[in-house]
């Protein structure tokens, strides 16, 4: 399964535990995932589920824009109006 997960920039910086729903055909199930600190927009995170024959869940992180903070390859940038 490939699932996109929306994150705030603060969740992306600190890491977060999220509960997501996976729909397969007529069944829906909830799983809990841990998004590690420092993920960036478009990061791909792979999880193997316990007890389901090694099923892999692929998470694509979508980090919401923030008016004053942004993440660059060099780190976190804060824009302060003067």
């Amino acid at each position: 399964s490939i699932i996109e997960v929306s994150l705030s920039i603060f969740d992306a910086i600190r890491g977060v535990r999220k509960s997501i729903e996976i729909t397969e055909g007529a069944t829906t199930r909830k799983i809990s995932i841990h998004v590690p600190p420092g993920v960036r927009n478009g990061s791909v995170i792979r999880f193997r589920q316990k007890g389901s024959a090694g099923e892999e869940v692929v998470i694509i992180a979508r980090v919401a824009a923030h008016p004053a903070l942004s993440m660059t390859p060099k780190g976190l940038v804060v824009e302060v109006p003067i």
Side-chain angles (χ1 to χ4, degrees):
S1 299
I2 299 175
I3 301 167
E4 290 192 14
V5 174
S6 297
L7 303 169
S8 71
I9 195 163
F10 301 109
D11 289 344
I13 293 167
R14 294 185 298 235
V16 68
R17 182 162 296 281
K18 288 204 113 44
S19 179
I20 60 172
E21 290 186 356
I22 298 175
T23 303
E24 295 170 341
T27 62
T28 300
R29 59 193 166 104
K30 275 190 169 184
I31 64 169
S32 179
I33 62 166
H34 179 273
V35 178
V39 297
R40 300 187 186 277
N41 193 37
S43 292
V44 175
I45 308 161
R46 298 179 187 278
F47 293 96
R48 287 221 183 264
Q49 291 191 310
K50 299 175 186 173
S52 61
E55 178 188 357
E56 185 174 69
V57 176
V58 177
I59 305 296
I60 300 174
R62 297 293 177 213
V63 181
H66 188 276
L69 300 173
S70 61
M71 295 175 74
T72 67
K74 292 187 176 184
L76 186 65
V77 175
V78 179
E79 292 185 26
V80 180
I82 51 173

